[in-house]
Amino acid sequence: MSTSSTQSKGINQRVNSVESNGYPRRNGSHQQKQHVSHNDAYLYALRVAYLTYLLQPRARRTQHVPAPQTTVQRSSTSINDLMKDFSLIRDNKSTRFPHGFMSELEKRLTGVLMGKERKPEYNDAAIKRSFAAFFNAFTEQSFKKRMEKDRRVEDLVLIFFSNAAKELQKGRPPGDDAWKLMVDRHLALFIRLISLVLRDHDWIRDRPELASRLTTLEGKLLAHDQDLTAGSSRTAGVGTSVTEVQIPLSYEVKDMPLVQVVARVFGLRNTQVQSDIDKHKTTWTEKAALTDLKAYQAYLNLNSKRTLRAEDFDSTEGYEAWRKAEVQDLSQMMLAIVQSSPELAKSTSGTILPQFHRQPIASDSIDAAYSDVSKRMSEHSERSSYVIDQPVDMSAFSPISQGSDGPQQDDLPFTFIPPDPRAFYRFILNEALTHDLNDQSLQVSATAAETPTVKLLSKQSTELLNEISVRWRIPSISRIMIFLDVVRQKFIDQDVALDTLDAAFNFVKEPLQENKKSPNFMTSLFLERTKWPFADIVLNQQILSSLHDALMRDLYAAMQQCYEQKPPNIASIMYVLEHHIYDDPSFPRSPENLDAFTGALHEGLQQKAHEMYRSFLEKHVPQDQNSWEFFHVIELGKAVTSLSQKIQKRYKKNPEIMGVNPLTALVETILPLYAEDARDIVSRILQLSEQQEEEIPIEDGFQLYQELVDIRRVHGQCLPNVPFAFHIEDVLVDFVWRWIRTTESTIKNWVDQAIKQDKFCVRIDNPQQIPTEEQRHSVSIIDIFSSFNQAIDRVVQLNWDNDLQYAKFMTALSKIVGLGISRYCEIVEQQFSKEMDRLSPEQEAATNQTKQEKWLQLAKDTWNNKEKIEPFQFFPESFVKLNNIDFAAQQLDKLEHEVNVDACAAVIQSHAPPVTQRQKKVNNYVFTIKIVEAEGLKACDMNGFSDPYVVLGDEYQKRLAKTRVVYRNLNPRWDETVDITTQGPLNIVATVWDWDIMGDHDCVGRASLKLDPSHFGDFLPREYWLDLDSQGRILLRVSMEGERDDIQFYFGKAFRTLKRTERDMTRTITDKLSAYIHHCLSRRSLRNLTQKGITISTVSNYFNRNRPPQTAQAPSEVEITGALKQLLAYFDDNFAIMNQTLTSTSMVMVMTRVWKEVLVTIESLLVPPLSDKPSQQRQLNQQELDVVFKWLQYLFDFFHAVDEETGEANGVPLDVLRSPKYFDITTLNFFYFESTEGLIRTSERMASATATRQQSQRNRLSAPASLAAPTFGGAAGLVGLASTRRSKSIMLSRNLGTMKKAKEEKWKEAQADPNDDMILRILRMRPEAERYLKDRSRQKERLAAAAAAEMIVRQSLLASGGRMMGNLPRR
């Protein structure tokens, strides 16, 4: 036996014991139930139907008879006398019209005039004329306004009488008074119309006195006329009158509606029913019916068992209420019979006819009770034959003869009442309901008519049952309980649906919608349960318990199918349970049984869920393990999640059914099963793949991960305390690494293909169109970053639920991004250099000249003093490449924020082992070599200068880097940086070459340096002055960083690659302009401006040295600005070409670089480079110094480019123009002409302050004094001098924000840490300061060596665990 069957059995046992556990049954008040035969039920139903036919109101027909002529004279009563009833009580509000009455009356009058009035008496033409005359006066605004204010009846009646009299008097000869009777008739019709308006809007209830007086007035006006509706009375022939006569009964079935209903219900033909009626016609008479009522009343008075007694009720109050209603009901029924057959009253001895009363009877009388039931059961059918219009007093009418003792036996049979009325009524009700449910052609009853989809009893059957219940004296609540019991039995027998059961309950509970103002008698019956008979109380409990058992069985069966595709709808079951079973106070709840049902239902749903999962497993997973694929696990997961989502959506509004959550029962069963099976299947698939050496497609692994993660999320939400069967990320992590390795192997090909397909032009459709900022970069960089974003999004979209693994994925992808950017920069920079190093047309022509022709051309150019330098013809493609690099930096910065680099680094750091357990050895090292400057180079050209550039190579002569060419300079400054990656010591060779336009380049000199990672354990930068093997020396600044597997490192390296490429490309562009900058801002140009050429006086002064020199005249402002005219024009020409293609950012960057070149050139005019050796450069005089500073100011304003009209700066920003170099140059004015001794004192004071400040900073960060590092001797020079400043590291270049911050800190450091470098450079032009320069240089070397040693000690202590270092900051 199933669980549900066991549960139902328990419920049935409880329900079947309701009688014993509830109210006791009084068997003494009821006859023993007997079997009701089909024929007996038919005959008793037929008797009632036939009696209804006998007692129905007789039909009448009109008949014309001759009548004597009478002269009609109008009463002498005037209209004023008629209106005294109203005028005498003018101040009584109850006789005034209600508010809003006038507008409704106007509508009704309009209907009369338009012929829309339903009453036939208003269709006469003369009446319409009278009403039209009144309507004109009525609609006059003054009268209408007065009527709205006063609302007096006499005003309205008098105005109608006046207008009607005038209208009807028209055309009448003098002495003809017939129109006066017409006025009375028309006025009566007007009074009736007023009454109709009041009645239609229910105003008559609040104004009964007004209605009564209107009726009285109408009767007075019709004293000389007949009823207004009898139109024929005024149109009959002259000398005739009309009378009504009754139509005799035909006693045929075709004239008996209820008899025909009985025939249909019992399935008999009319002929057979007619035969039965003819057979019993003499017995089934009105007299027999009256006798039954007399006998029943006698039994009631004698408290016989044939009627209900006080013992049959739970309270005396209930019995008294029933008995009182029963007495009044019997009186009316007997009166109805007497009215139908008056001769019965004559034959009844000692009988006094009942007297009518105006007062209404009690609310629980037959008129208020059974009349309401009749309306509910018959859709406002006509009243039964036994119901009269007014309550009566039957106290004087005794159906039993005076002095009679009444019936002597309780079993005296009735003619119309069966032995067991309840049993017979139930049988007939069952037959009627069965017939009506099968006969779709019948008209449904009132309540069912509102819901056509549910059919109960037809209108005809309802009328029949109504007559039967009243004739057999079945109480209203008993009729309801019997009706519900019949429907219950049919529902259990599955003859009716659940909707019909619900409709049956609503049928007996809901009030009539059309009688909203009447009291809800049915509701009162259900509320006053203490007045019910015991039989109905017990039957109600039996009905509820039986239905509860059936509904719970249906609910269990329906819930067992809740996981199916189309499960049964349980809403109807739950609605009936909640609203009709549980809401009924008579239903005995049992929490224990409900809990048992909840447990059984939960177990049943779990079993069903298990069966559903097994079906999914058989459908989606093959039996052969060798054919298993990830696809099968995915499909199985989709089936599981689809079912879970479907159940969640299906029970979203009502998640629990009888305390059971179908979704919880489902997921707590199938999710653990799926997790275990998925673990085993995936493990088996991976094992087979490894054995067969076949790789599973990466996308299959990704799809499987996403499906498993979705299921795990649902698992966690529904089963928070149950762990998932396995760690998905650990099982499938290899698929992500495989995808990353595949991406890394293809990244270079992506870059190569993107560059190959790019034409490096602005993205505009029309050549005449000015490109926007977004259109000034080409498609290759867009495609490359689109590939980067797709690669990163592919991992992000996995929603990998392991932070450490995800951070490592992002680290690997950042390395790939760095490789792609490095490859892109390498190729683009090569193409850019090739475009920028191309020969001009003159240079190409020179390559075809002979050696003699080249010398002649050089001499010719020298003699002609050729100054005009044509602007370099830049290619737009070159500028687009520069724009691409700038765009790449912006996109990389955006990508860095989207990846959340800092968070990934923090996750990896949090999972990193302690410092003592980390590996100290770094496999790869990144050396950053900055080629700063050179000095004292040998001259390789005829003009006494060289055009030097530097090439870095390794010991195997492999080129590592190359700098730009610095033209016409023996003390060049390059400031170019290169990164070299190595795994151990590396020897590098720096070769300085002289660039020649013709022939081979000349070697200026060589120097070598060993890069040993062991010398850079502190990761601090060092500076090396390397002596060339020929003449002069070169300065290299070297720093080292370990190449770490760190996301911040990779992003920093990529940013630095972009910025270095951008800087090199920008420098290449400015190099094309630097030659002319040096030419225009040279000492030669300055000398020409101040000395204005060589004259005879100049030569004379040269030979007359003993004479005092004449003061040269200072150049004017025009001459000073004129000296810059050609340079500014040169800038304008080139900037105009650049502005057509470069973005605003790149344009400012190029202009900034040109400005720096200008500052370096001006600085070289003022002071020589920094060195410990004296310089041959001559110091400028005051006049020359003033010219140089005016040039500086003019160029400052030119690069700032302030609009004269708007005042807006369109050039380089002020904070860029006012760089530390600009600040150093401007400070020269204070020291330039100071004495040597003063400069030395100032230098010593500044050096002392700087040393003190640095020492205080070291004291805050250094180890205790006992751990101070010893000073280094000459060995420090072998490894280089460590700078106290931290160089630009990769970690400080990981995004645009950190790079900007580093620049700001550098600027603040330059302002907050003034040094004496400029003073030392001035002293180089003072021969007497040679000794101080050497001493100061050695002092700086010692300080740098001490700082380096101290930092090495600190790094070693940190590497050993930092136990003695306190809270030293870690790198």
Side-chain angles (χ1 to χ4, degrees):
M1 181 179 294
S2 65
T3 306
S4 60
S5 301
T6 306
Q7 175 67 15
S8 301
K9 181 178 179 181
I11 296 175
N12 286 331
Q13 292 175 353
R14 176 182 56 80
V15 172
N16 293 334
S17 62
V18 168
E19 288 189 11
S20 60
N21 296 334
Y23 295 96
R25 179 176 239 186
R26 306 300 178 90
N27 294 326
S29 300
H30 295 272
Q31 295 180 348
Q32 189 69 24
K33 284 189 177 180
Q34 62 181 20
H35 175 70
V36 178
S37 66
H38 185 274
N39 186 62
D40 292 344
Y42 155 68
L43 290 177
Y44 274 101
L46 183 61
R47 299 178 193 190
V48 174
Y50 176 68
L51 179 60
T52 303
Y53 171 73
L54 294 178
L55 298 180
Q56 70 179 353
R58 299 292 191 270
R60 295 173 177 273
R61 64 169 177 264
T62 58
Q63 181 176 352
H64 297 283
V65 296
Q69 295 290 338
T70 57
T71 302
V72 179
Q73 293 182 357
R74 186 177 182 277
S75 175
S76 60
T77 304
S78 66
I79 187 64
N80 294 326
D81 295 335
L82 294 175
M83 296 304 298
K84 285 182 179 180
D85 291 341
F86 293 94
S87 59
L88 293 177
I89 51 173
R90 293 173 61 117
D91 296 333
N92 192 348
K93 295 183 179 179
S94 62
T95 59
R96 293 189 180 186
F97 292 120
H99 291 284
F101 172 79
M102 297 304 165
S103 59
E104 297 299 330
L105 178 62
E106 184 177 355
K107 295 178 183 178
R108 199 65 177 260
L109 290 172
T110 304
V112 171
L113 298 178
M114 297 179 65
K116 297 181 180 180
E117 179 59 42
R118 298 184 301 270
K119 300 295 182 179
E121 57 266 28
Y122 293 95
N123 294 329
D124 186 65
I127 293 175
K128 290 183 178 181
R129 283 183 18 239
S130 300
F131 274 65
F134 165 73
F135 189 77
N136 293 333
F138 177 74
T139 55
E140 186 180 351
Q141 290 300 322
S142 59
F143 176 75
K144 191 173 183 180
K145 184 175 181 181
R146 187 174 72 251
M147 286 302 302
E148 289 288 350
K149 179 180 179 181
D150 298 336
R151 298 179 284 115
R152 294 188 304 203
V153 178
E154 57 270 26
D155 295 342
L156 197 64
V157 173
L158 290 176
I159 196 66
F160 181 88
F161 179 82
S162 175
N163 286 275
K166 293 179 181 178
E167 184 64 27
L168 295 176
Q169 193 176 4
K170 293 180 181 179
R172 298 283 183 174
D176 186 2
D177 294 336
W179 60 272
K180 296 182 179 180
L181 293 177
M182 294 296 293
V183 171
D184 293 346
R185 176 180 174 82
H186 291 187
L187 182 58
L189 282 172
F190 179 68
I191 298 299
R192 178 170 293 187
L193 188 67
I194 293 175
S195 300
L196 291 174
V197 174
L198 292 173
R199 187 178 298 108
D200 291 346
H201 294 81
D202 206 21
W203 285 325
I204 199 170
R205 183 181 61 178
D206 299 331
R207 288 170 170 78
E209 186 174 356
L210 175 61
S212 175
R213 294 183 183 279
L214 289 174
T215 304
T216 303
L217 178 59
E218 181 183 349
K220 292 179 180 180
L221 291 170
L222 294 178
H224 302 289
D225 203 351
Q226 295 183 5
D227 188 9
L228 297 175
T229 59
S232 60
S233 65
R234 305 190 67 85
T235 59
V238 178
T240 63
S241 62
V242 178
T243 185
E244 290 185 350
V245 295
Q246 289 185 355
I247 301 176
L249 297 176
S250 64
Y251 297 98
E252 295 180 359
V253 173
K254 64 182 181 64
D255 296 330
M256 305 177 185
L258 290 186
V259 173
Q260 296 177 20
V261 174
V262 173
R264 287 195 298 269
V265 168
F266 287 91
L268 302 176
R269 294 190 300 273
N270 289 347
T271 55
Q272 183 177 353
V273 175
Q274 185 68 56
S275 174
D276 291 337
I277 289 176
D278 295 341
K279 179 179 178 182
H280 299 90
K281 183 167 57 175
T282 57
T283 305
W284 299 344
T285 62
E286 297 95 325
K287 183 177 181 180
L290 185 60
T291 303
D292 282 356
L293 293 178
K294 294 178 182 179
Y296 182 84
Q297 190 176 40
Y299 290 137
L300 181 63
N301 294 331
L302 297 174
N303 199 21
S304 170
K305 295 181 180 180
R306 300 295 296 271
T307 64
L308 293 176
R309 298 185 298 174
E311 292 82 357
D312 296 322
F313 289 86
D314 187 37
S315 64
T316 305
E317 180 185 0
Y319 171 72
E320 293 297 333
W322 170 81
R323 191 176 187 282
K324 182 178 180 182
E326 199 74 351
V327 170
Q328 295 174 350
D329 192 10
L330 289 174
S331 300
Q332 283 207 352
M333 292 175 66
M334 288 185 286
L335 178 61
I337 296 176
V338 171
Q339 285 182 337
S340 177
S341 299
E343 63 275 7
L344 293 178
K346 300 178 182 179
S347 62
T348 302
S349 61
T351 300
I352 302 176
L353 292 178
Q355 303 295 322
F356 291 89
H357 293 273
R358 292 288 182 184
Q359 293 78 8
I361 63 175
S363 60
D364 55 348
S365 66
I366 187 62
D367 190 41
Y370 290 102
S371 171
D372 201 7
V373 175
S374 176
K375 292 177 182 178
R376 290 198 45 78
M377 302 281 289
S378 61
E379 193 185 2
H380 292 291
S381 60
E382 296 180 359
R383 290 181 180 268
S384 303
S385 58
Y386 53 85
V387 180
I388 60 177
D389 292 337
Q390 296 183 6
V392 298
D393 182 10
M394 295 291 294
S395 59
F397 179 71
S398 176
I400 304 297
S401 300
Q402 299 295 330
S404 174
D405 296 333
Q408 301 297 325
Q409 297 179 356
D410 289 345
D411 57 352
L412 182 65
F414 295 104
T415 302
F416 291 94
I417 303 176
D420 188 353
R422 291 174 64 96
F424 274 80
Y425 181 80
R426 189 185 189 284
F427 187 93
I428 296 172
L429 176 59
N430 182 68
E431 293 295 322
L433 186 59
T434 302
H435 173 268
D436 291 346
L437 291 175
N438 296 327
D439 191 351
Q440 301 297 328
S441 62
L442 294 179
Q443 181 183 2
V444 297
S445 59
T447 304
E450 298 175 2
T451 55
T453 56
V454 179
K455 180 180 179 182
L456 294 173
L457 291 171
S458 66
K459 178 181 178 181
Q460 296 81 3
S461 299
T462 304
E463 292 177 355
L464 173 64
L465 293 171
N466 182 40
E467 293 292 336
I468 290 175
S469 62
V470 175
R471 286 294 166 191
W472 294 354
R473 309 313 308 142
I474 299 176
S476 300
I477 193 62
S478 299
R479 294 161 56 189
I480 294 174
M481 291 298 106
I482 293 172
F483 171 75
L484 292 178
D485 187 47
V486 170
V487 176
R488 173 201 62 81
Q489 188 62 46
K490 287 189 173 296
F491 174 73
I492 293 177
D493 296 340
Q494 298 183 354
D495 293 337
V496 297
L498 187 62
D499 293 341
T500 305
L501 177 64
D502 177 53
F505 275 103
N506 293 331
F507 180 77
V508 301
K509 289 181 179 180
E510 295 179 358
L512 287 173
Q513 298 297 325
E514 297 157 353
N515 190 18
K516 298 180 181 179
K517 296 185 180 297
S518 63
N520 187 358
F521 173 70
M522 304 305 295
T523 305
S524 64
L525 285 178
F526 276 91
L527 293 177
E528 299 177 354
R529 295 174 182 265
T530 56
K531 298 181 180 180
W532 288 14
F534 277 120
D536 295 323
I537 294 175
V538 174
L539 180 59
N540 184 37
Q541 292 183 345
Q542 292 176 347
I543 292 171
L544 296 176
S545 299
S546 178
L547 286 176
H548 182 261
D549 293 344
L551 291 172
M552 295 297 275
R553 286 193 295 269
D554 292 348
L555 178 62
Y556 184 89
M559 290 299 296
Q560 292 299 300
Q561 306 177 47
C562 69
Y563 300 140
E564 302 293 339
Q565 187 70 23
K566 294 182 178 180
N569 187 6
I570 64 170
S572 301
I573 301 178
M574 296 303 301
Y575 181 85
V576 174
L577 282 172
E578 294 293 337
H579 293 81
H580 302 317
I581 305 298
Y582 295 146
D583 285 353
D584 196 306
S586 299
F587 176 72
R589 286 176 174 267
S590 176
E592 295 79 8
N593 289 338
L594 290 178
D595 293 342
F597 176 82
T598 300
L601 179 60
H602 187 77
E603 293 177 2
L605 291 181
Q606 286 182 326
Q607 182 64 29
K608 276 294 180 181
H610 194 276
E611 294 176 3
M612 291 295 296
Y613 178 75
R614 298 305 305 174
S615 65
F616 290 157
L617 195 64
E618 294 174 359
K619 178 180 179 181
H620 297 290
V621 180
Q623 295 293 330
D624 184 12
Q625 295 185 6
N626 295 327
S627 62
W628 283 353
E629 296 179 1
F630 284 174
F631 172 76
H632 300 135
V633 183
I634 294 174
E635 290 300 312
L636 180 61
K638 288 182 178 179
V640 170
T641 55
S642 176
L643 179 61
S644 301
Q645 292 172 357
K646 186 184 300 181
I647 298 304
Q648 183 182 20
K649 183 178 180 181
R650 182 177 295 169
Y651 297 99
K652 184 177 181 180
K653 295 183 178 180
N654 299 303
E656 288 193 358
I657 308 298
M658 301 297 293
V660 178
N661 191 322
L663 178 62
T664 302
L666 175 69
V667 297
E668 69 183 9
T669 302
I670 65 174
L671 290 186
L673 292 175
Y674 173 79
E676 296 174 0
D677 290 344
R679 176 195 59 197
D680 298 338
I681 296 174
V682 171
S683 300
R684 180 59 179 168
I685 293 174
L686 295 176
Q687 182 181 2
L688 290 175
S689 174
E690 184 178 356
Q691 293 175 357
Q692 299 173 2
E693 296 182 355
E694 296 179 355
E695 287 190 346
I696 302 173
I698 296 176
E699 286 300 323
D700 291 353
F702 286 175
Q703 293 180 6
L704 175 62
Y705 176 77
Q706 291 176 342
E707 186 65 33
L708 291 176
V709 167
D710 291 340
I711 295 179
R712 184 176 61 185
R713 183 177 62 255
V714 177
H715 186 281
Q717 294 174 353
C718 301
L719 307 173
N721 299 324
V722 180
F724 201 70
F726 66 104
H727 197 275
I728 305 172
E729 286 73 18
D730 292 343
V731 176
L732 301 178
V733 67
D734 186 59
F735 287 92
V736 183
W737 286 119
R738 282 174 51 197
W739 182 84
I740 291 175
R741 290 192 294 269
T742 302
T743 304
E744 184 177 5
S745 63
T746 58
I747 188 65
K748 290 186 178 180
N749 185 49
W750 290 357
V751 175
D752 294 343
Q753 292 299 322
I755 295 176
K756 184 178 179 181
Q757 298 176 8
D758 192 4
K759 296 181 181 180
F760 292 99
C761 58
V762 293
R763 295 174 291 110
I764 55 176
D765 299 329
N766 186 3
Q768 305 298 326
Q769 179 184 352
I770 299 177
T772 62
E773 291 290 317
E774 291 75 13
Q775 295 174 336
R776 292 177 183 252
H777 51 266
S778 60
V779 296
S780 61
I781 195 63
I782 298 176
D783 295 341
I784 289 174
F785 271 92
S786 176
S787 301
F788 293 162
N789 287 319
Q790 289 176 4
I792 293 175
D793 289 343
R794 190 67 187 90
V795 176
V796 172
Q797 290 171 0
L798 291 176
N799 294 319
W800 201 261
D801 196 15
N802 186 304
D803 292 341
L804 179 60
Q805 293 177 352
Y806 177 80
K808 291 182 177 180
F809 296 158
M810 292 295 106
T811 301
L813 289 174
S814 66
K815 181 179 179 181
I816 295 174
V817 170
L819 292 175
I821 289 176
S822 178
R823 178 66 174 174
Y824 184 81
C825 291
E826 178 185 356
I827 298 176
V828 168
E829 190 172 10
Q830 290 176 0
Q831 295 180 358
F832 180 83
S833 299
K834 185 177 180 180
E835 294 167 357
M836 299 301 292
D837 292 342
R838 72 185 188 280
L839 299 177
S840 63
E842 294 81 1
Q843 293 172 342
E844 291 180 358
T847 56
N848 298 325
Q849 293 177 349
T850 63
K851 190 173 183 179
Q852 183 178 4
E853 291 174 343
K854 293 178 181 178
W855 283 107
L856 291 175
Q857 183 64 35
L858 180 60
K860 183 179 178 180
D861 292 342
T862 304
W863 178 260
N864 293 332
N865 193 19
K866 185 177 180 180
E867 297 182 356
K868 179 63 176 178
I869 298 179
E870 297 295 332
F872 182 79
Q873 298 298 323
F874 295 101
F875 286 164
E877 294 83 353
S878 303
F879 293 144
V880 171
K881 292 181 176 67
L882 181 58
N883 293 338
N884 287 354
I885 299 300
D886 178 65
F887 178 78
Q890 298 175 13
Q891 292 300 309
L892 185 63
D893 183 69
K894 181 179 179 182
L895 188 63
E896 191 262 353
H897 287 87
E898 291 177 352
V899 172
N900 200 351
V901 170
D902 294 338
C904 292
V907 170
I908 295 177
Q909 181 66 26
S910 64
H911 290 81
V915 178
T916 56
Q917 300 179 10
R918 297 180 187 175
Q919 295 183 358
K920 300 180 181 179
K921 184 179 179 180
V922 182
N923 293 327
N924 294 329
Y925 305 93
V926 179
F927 283 97
T928 301
I929 302 175
K930 184 174 184 179
I931 306 172
V932 183
E933 60 180 342
E935 63 178 23
L937 300 179
K938 71 177 182 179
C940 298
D941 295 336
M942 295 178 60
N943 56 8
F945 294 97
S946 293
D947 302 323
Y949 66 93
V950 180
V951 175
L952 287 183
D954 59 10
E955 53 189 332
Y956 303 104
Q957 297 183 355
K958 177 182 177 182
R959 177 181 288 190
L960 301 176
K962 174 188 174 184
T963 68
R964 74 187 192 283
V965 179
V966 179
Y967 297 96
R968 296 171 57 84
N969 203 322
L970 298 179
N971 300 301
R973 189 175 185 91
W974 293 281
D975 287 327
E976 295 191 19
T977 307
V978 62
D979 286 341
I980 298 176
T981 303
T982 181
Q983 294 182 349
L986 176 68
N987 292 319
I988 61 171
V989 179
T991 304
V992 182
W993 295 88
D994 172 55
W995 182 86
D996 289 329
I997 190 174
M998 296 175 294
D1000 296 334
H1001 300 178
D1002 301 325
C1003 180
V1004 178
R1006 291 183 178 87
S1008 62
L1009 176 66
K1010 183 178 181 180
L1011 302 179
D1012 192 346
S1014 63
H1015 297 163
F1016 293 85
D1018 57 353
F1019 296 98
L1020 289 177
R1022 289 167 172 78
E1023 293 181 350
Y1024 296 92
W1025 277 104
L1026 305 177
D1027 293 329
L1028 300 179
D1029 56 3
S1030 57
Q1031 175 184 334
R1033 60 180 181 171
I1034 185 172
L1035 176 61
L1036 301 181
R1037 184 176 292 127
V1038 183
S1039 62
M1040 185 193 75
E1041 286 197 49
E1043 188 177 61
R1044 298 175 293 167
D1045 188 21
D1046 183 87
I1047 188 171
Q1048 293 178 332
F1049 177 85
Y1050 290 132
F1051 266 95
K1053 187 176 180 180
F1055 267 107
R1056 195 159 72 167
T1057 300
L1058 286 172
K1059 285 301 177 182
R1060 184 171 296 161
T1061 302
E1062 184 181 59
R1063 184 170 59 251
D1064 292 344
M1065 294 172 69
T1066 304
R1067 182 175 292 149
T1068 302
I1069 293 175
T1070 56
D1071 285 346
K1072 298 301 179 181
L1073 311 176
S1074 61
Y1076 196 63
I1077 295 174
H1078 295 161
H1079 170 75
C1080 295
L1081 300 179
S1082 62
R1083 289 208 169 207
R1084 178 181 178 183
S1085 301
L1086 181 61
R1087 186 171 57 252
N1088 292 337
L1089 179 61
T1090 55
Q1091 297 180 3
K1092 301 179 181 178
I1094 300 177
T1095 62
I1096 298 177
S1097 61
T1098 305
V1099 178
S1100 176
N1101 291 334
Y1102 177 78
F1103 290 102
N1104 298 323
R1105 297 181 179 178
N1106 296 327
R1107 295 182 182 180
Q1110 297 180 358
T1111 303
Q1113 184 178 0
S1116 64
E1117 293 290 334
V1118 176
E1119 292 174 337
I1120 296 175
T1121 57
L1124 296 178
K1125 184 176 181 181
Q1126 292 182 353
L1127 178 61
L1128 299 181
Y1130 182 73
F1131 284 158
D1132 283 335
D1133 294 340
N1134 286 277
F1135 290 164
I1137 296 173
M1138 298 176 188
N1139 195 41
Q1140 294 177 0
T1141 306
L1142 288 178
T1143 62
S1144 59
T1145 305
S1146 299
M1147 188 67 192
V1148 171
M1149 182 173 55
V1150 172
M1151 293 178 67
T1152 302
R1153 182 62 196 175
V1154 175
W1155 169 249
K1156 290 181 179 180
E1157 191 70 25
V1158 169
L1159 292 179
V1160 171
T1161 304
I1162 291 179
E1163 184 185 41
S1164 66
L1165 287 176
L1166 298 173
V1167 291
L1170 182 63
S1171 177
D1172 58 349
K1173 297 180 180 179
S1175 174
Q1176 300 298 323
Q1177 183 172 333
R1178 179 182 62 85
Q1179 187 171 347
L1180 301 180
N1181 56 35
Q1182 184 65 53
Q1183 190 181 66
E1184 293 172 335
L1185 186 65
D1186 293 341
V1187 172
V1188 171
F1189 276 101
K1190 287 183 179 179
W1191 282 354
L1192 180 62
Q1193 184 61 42
Y1194 292 151
L1195 290 170
F1196 183 93
D1197 296 338
F1198 173 81
F1199 279 89
H1200 193 40
V1202 177
D1203 193 330
E1204 296 180 357
E1205 296 181 358
T1206 62
E1208 181 181 358
N1210 299 318
V1212 182
L1214 282 177
D1215 58 338
V1216 177
L1217 292 174
R1218 293 171 179 169
S1219 62
K1221 178 71 70 176
Y1222 177 81
F1223 177 77
D1224 291 341
I1225 294 174
T1226 56
T1227 57
L1228 282 175
N1229 236 342
F1230 301 102
F1231 308 106
Y1232 201 74
F1233 296 108
E1234 190 174 345
S1235 63
T1236 303
E1237 293 77 6
L1239 291 176
I1240 292 174
R1241 286 194 298 270
T1242 303
S1243 175
E1244 290 176 345
R1245 185 171 58 254
M1246 296 177 68
S1248 177
T1250 301
T1252 303
R1253 184 168 54 255
Q1254 292 178 353
Q1255 183 63 37
S1256 63
Q1257 292 178 354
R1258 286 197 298 270
N1259 291 337
R1260 289 196 302 269
L1261 301 175
S1262 64
S1266 60
L1267 297 176
T1271 59
F1272 285 81
L1278 297 177
V1279 298
L1281 299 176
S1283 172
T1284 57
R1285 293 183 183 177
R1286 186 73 171 94
S1287 67
K1288 295 181 180 177
S1289 68
I1290 292 177
M1291 300 303 292
L1292 293 177
S1293 305
R1294 65 179 184 270
N1295 57 41
L1296 294 178
T1298 56
M1299 297 172 70
K1300 183 178 180 181
K1301 185 177 180 181
K1303 287 183 179 180
E1304 293 175 352
E1305 291 178 353
K1306 181 179 179 182
W1307 169 245
K1308 293 179 181 178
E1309 184 180 359
Q1311 288 182 327
D1313 188 18
N1315 54 59
D1316 58 344
D1317 288 350
M1318 275 299 175
I1319 296 177
L1320 296 176
R1321 294 173 72 174
I1322 296 174
L1323 290 175
R1324 284 194 64 193
M1325 297 184 294
R1326 311 285 177 90
E1328 62 271 19
E1330 179 179 0
R1331 184 176 182 82
Y1332 177 76
L1333 290 174
K1334 292 181 180 181
D1335 294 341
R1336 182 75 177 94
S1337 178
R1338 285 195 295 269
Q1339 181 186 9
K1340 294 176 68 175
E1341 291 176 359
R1342 287 195 301 271
L1343 291 174
E1350 186 176 357
M1351 185 59 68
I1352 290 174
V1353 173
R1354 186 183 301 118
Q1355 292 292 336
S1356 63
L1357 290 175
L1358 285 175
S1360 62
R1363 292 184 298 273
M1364 301 177 62
M1365 295 297 293
N1367 294 326
L1368 289 178
R1370 296 192 311 178
R1371 181 176 177 276

